[in-house]
Amino acid sequence: MQVREENMLLAALPETERERLSPYLKKVRLDFQQVLVEPHQEIADIYFPYNAITSTVHEMSDGTSVETGLMGLEGFVGVQLWLHSRTTPSRTFVQVAGESHHMRASDFIRHVRDTDSPLNELCAKYVHAFLVMTSQTAACNRLHPLNERLCRWLKLVHNRLRRDEFPMRQEFMAMMLGVQRPTVSTAANMLQQAGLIRYSRGQMRILNAEGLRNGSCECLELIEKQFEQIFDRYHG
Amino acid sequence: MQVREENMLLAALPETERERLSPYLKKVRLDFQQVLVEPHQEIADIYFPYNAITSTVHEMSDGTSVETGLMGLEGFVGVQLWLHSRTTPSRTFVQVAGESHHMRASDFIRHVRDTDSPLNELCAKYVHAFLVMTSQTAACNRLHPLNERLCRWLKLVHNRLRRDEFPMRQEFMAMMLGVQRPTVSTAANMLQQAGLIRYSRGQMRILNAEGLRNGSCECLELIEKQFEQIFDRYHG
DNA sequence: AGCACTGTGTTAGCTACATTACAGAAGAAG
DNA sequence: CTTCTTCTGTAATGTAGCTAACACAGTGCT
């Protein structure tokens, strides 16, 4: 039963490698707020989302939190396992529900611990892009004002979902951006006034993607360029 | 000529692996502000510092910058190369001068592209710890006040240098922490008043390391724990 | 219809830090 | 010793975002 892969990492694999993996790949539904990686607990599953968005957040002891990474169809959940670590202090969960492929950790490790595996090289390049996203986010969180960060973040989500409408509440955006909900309210409202987005009661609609890109800080372009580079040599 | 390795990654290698690598390892002096990885340029060299501190910073187009990672004797410079990427957008340079071992990129790749290499597994675990540091920094930059971040940062440097006195200017700390120099001045002065540090004209002295640890946010402990875990199974 | 609940808008006072500017102090160079 | 340069302290003013509180509007339930 050959299911069309839409996760970009899986899609980039040579046919033979895809066939080798396919017995271990299962399609699963990812529900909103489902936890994929629990802090400090063994990572048992790897996910290759393709129309869902997942987030890695760091939670502080006082309850505040910030997103430090965001994964969609361009990546996979469980990079820590690829890095020979069975646990990690951050939480990864589903931010926008959707479909994903799933693999058991043990199967993943067995296939990827082969230096010549095409999957191994793709994972390496993805982890690099992910590291760049995370570190750029670290800088962005310190240096850029909320309105620019909000534009950047919405465009990152939009690019990964590849549709203009998706569920998204202000409360959630506040958690991701590490600010208070009322602060998101004013910032999001300005974007709405400017005609870039429209939203109501947990439904977000992107009206002007180009406008979001322009309103975003330079971090957006830098981050997306890294993810494009993963696949450069495969489509060159 | 068997030189005593002090970089922890090299020191953790089995004797046979050390001997295999030693023809390619050269001791070098790292000078203050020497650039080890230039943004968007090919990484030609790998460094294993042991009494120097190196920093990875992200620089924005308006000239502002923030440190997103800090490497000393517990790690190595050039993780991007291990991740199959020849360039990266961030800059890595020497923050506190000192000694390091050095390896040409090509030699490093040849040795590390072997799944069973002990060096390969150590690199993997180090990259995980480095990723945790970077993402925790992203969260910390957003959520924690400067005085706590300054304590955390000074202790990270102190832990890596393993000495109480080292050259450090306010201008530099401001760059690392992503704040203005006068802001560092007031924060550092408070630490000095409290008897935790003493400094003058570019010389920093740690007077009360335990006090710094207490004044730091929770991020310090979380980060250091990750680096300890790299070596757990080697000294268990 | 009435009610409760959830998501959103908005306000006012507050804090952390930015910005700019300048003054002093310690070395370095003459 | 004098002068210059570098590093540090400080002060005035501005602003982004926090905090807490509340109003209101859709949505679902009874």
Side-chain angles (χ1 to χ4, degrees):
Chain A
M1 189 173 59
Q2 183 67 25
V3 182
R4 184 175 159 237
E5 305 290 0
E6 297 184 88
N7 176 280
M8 293 171 72
L9 294 175
L10 295 180
L13 292 171
E15 190 63 31
T16 54
E17 179 85 352
R18 292 252 290 282
E19 278 167 15
R20 206 163 67 93
L21 288 174
S22 75
Y24 306 101
L25 283 168
K26 296 252 156 53
K27 212 185 218 178
V28 293
R29 169 93 190 157
L30 298 184
D31 296 322
F32 177 58
Q33 287 191 332
Q34 181 180 340
V35 176
L36 306 182
V37 176
E38 193 84 42
H40 307 293
Q41 288 190 20
E42 291 241 344
I43 299 170
D45 304 275
I46 301 291
Y47 296 88
F48 296 90
Y50 55 85
N51 62 9
I53 299 273
T54 66
S55 280
T56 296
V57 299
H58 280 240
E59 297 163 342
M60 301 298 177
S61 56
D62 66 357
T64 55
S65 67
V66 193
E67 180 185 78
T68 59
L70 179 154
M71 298 80 86
L73 80 171
E74 85 294 348
F76 73 103
V77 176
V79 294
Q80 299 83 6
L81 211 65
W82 186 80
L83 293 169
H84 292 249
S85 294
R86 295 183 309 184
T87 69
T88 201
S90 54
R91 181 185 303 275
T92 300
F93 65 94
V94 180
Q95 190 183 97
V96 177
E99 301 283 327
S100 168
H101 275 84
H102 161 270
M103 209 169 171
R104 289 211 323 243
S106 52
D107 294 329
F108 174 77
I109 288 177
R110 192 153 21 83
H111 280 87
V112 93
R113 290 278 185 273
D114 173 2
T115 317
D116 297 328
S117 154
L119 181 58
N120 188 48
E121 188 181 342
L122 276 171
C123 286
K125 290 170 153 246
Y126 173 67
V127 172
H128 177 253
F130 186 76
L131 176 61
V132 170
M133 170 170 60
T134 299
S135 47
Q136 192 69 28
T137 302
C140 188
N141 279 348
R142 186 87 271 283
L143 300 173
H144 295 151
L146 178 62
N147 55 350
E148 296 183 13
R149 283 188 288 133
L150 180 57
C151 285
R152 182 207 56 166
W153 187 82
L154 283 170
K155 197 69 184 75
L156 279 174
V157 172
H158 182 243
N159 288 349
R160 272 149 194 74
L161 286 177
R162 302 187 168 181
R163 53 192 155 98
D164 291 336
E165 198 161 357
F166 48 89
M168 185 55 61
R169 290 177 302 156
Q170 293 186 351
E171 188 72 42
F172 214 77
M173 293 191 269
M175 267 184 58
M176 296 301 109
L177 297 165
V179 297
Q180 298 296 114
R181 205 270 311 157
T183 311
V184 169
S185 185
T186 54
N189 203 12
M190 282 173 66
L191 297 187
Q192 186 162 234
Q193 301 289 329
L196 302 186
I197 59 176
R198 183 172 330 147
Y199 60 92
S200 165
R201 303 192 65 68
Q203 272 303 110
M204 173 67 65
R205 174 171 214 129
I206 308 297
L207 298 179
N208 180 352
E210 197 52 38
L212 276 186
R213 182 186 300 277
N214 293 335
S216 155
C217 49
E218 58 197 297
C219 304
L220 172 67
E221 191 185 342
L222 192 147
I223 290 169
E224 292 294 28
K225 193 174 284 175
Q226 294 300 313
F227 288 117
E228 285 160 20
Q229 284 179 11
I230 300 174
F231 305 103
D232 269 2
R233 83 169 52 169
Y234 288 85
H235 304 303
Chain B
M1 188 173 59
Q2 181 67 26
V3 182
R4 184 173 161 238
E5 305 290 359
E6 296 185 88
N7 176 280
M8 292 171 74
L9 294 176
L10 295 180
L13 292 172
E15 189 62 31
T16 55
E17 180 84 353
R18 292 252 290 281
E19 279 167 15
R20 204 164 68 95
L21 289 174
S22 74
Y24 306 100
L25 282 169
K26 296 252 157 55
K27 213 184 217 177
V28 294
R29 168 92 190 158
L30 299 184
D31 295 322
F32 177 57
Q33 289 193 330
Q34 180 180 342
V35 176
L36 307 181
V37 177
E38 193 84 40
H40 306 294
Q41 288 189 20
E42 291 241 345
I43 299 169
D45 304 277
I46 301 292
Y47 296 88
F48 296 89
Y50 55 84
N51 62 10
I53 300 273
T54 66
S55 280
T56 296
V57 299
H58 280 241
E59 295 163 344
M60 300 299 176
S61 57
D62 66 356
T64 56
S65 67
V66 192
E67 179 186 78
T68 59
L70 178 155
M71 297 81 85
L73 81 171
E74 85 295 348
F76 73 102
V77 176
V79 294
Q80 298 85 4
L81 211 66
W82 186 80
L83 293 169
H84 292 248
S85 294
R86 295 184 309 185
T87 70
T88 200
S90 54
R91 179 186 304 276
T92 299
F93 64 94
V94 179
Q95 191 184 96
V96 177
E99 300 283 325
S100 168
H101 275 85
H102 160 270
M103 208 170 172
R104 289 212 321 245
S106 52
D107 294 329
F108 174 76
I109 288 178
R110 192 154 21 85
H111 280 87
V112 92
R113 292 276 187 271
D114 171 3
T115 318
D116 297 327
S117 155
L119 181 57
N120 189 48
E121 188 182 341
L122 276 172
C123 286
K125 290 171 154 243
Y126 172 67
V127 172
H128 177 253
F130 186 76
L131 177 60
V132 170
M133 171 171 58
T134 299
S135 47
Q136 192 69 29
T137 302
C140 189
N141 278 348
R142 185 88 273 283
L143 300 172
H144 295 152
L146 178 62
N147 55 350
E148 295 182 14
R149 283 189 286 132
L150 179 57
C151 285
R152 181 208 57 169
W153 186 83
L154 283 170
K155 196 70 183 76
L156 280 174
V157 172
H158 183 243
N159 288 349
R160 273 150 193 74
L161 286 177
R162 301 185 171 181
R163 53 192 155 98
D164 291 336
E165 198 160 358
F166 47 91
M168 184 56 59
R169 290 176 303 154
Q170 292 186 353
E171 188 71 43
F172 214 77
M173 294 191 268
M175 267 185 57
M176 295 300 109
L177 297 165
V179 297
Q180 300 295 115
R181 204 272 312 158
T183 311
V184 169
S185 184
T186 55
N189 204 11
M190 281 173 67
L191 297 187
Q192 186 161 234
Q193 300 291 329
L196 302 186
I197 59 177
R198 180 169 337 144
Y199 59 93
S200 165
R201 303 193 65 68
Q203 272 302 111
M204 172 68 65
R205 174 173 213 127
I206 308 297
L207 298 179
N208 180 352
E210 196 53 38
L212 276 186
R213 182 186 300 279
N214 293 335
S216 155
C217 50
E218 58 198 297
C219 304
L220 172 67
E221 191 185 343
L222 192 146
I223 290 170
E224 293 293 29
K225 195 175 282 176
Q226 294 300 314
F227 289 117
E228 285 161 20
Q229 283 178 13
I230 300 175
F231 306 101
D232 268 4
R233 84 168 52 171
Y234 288 85
H235 304 303

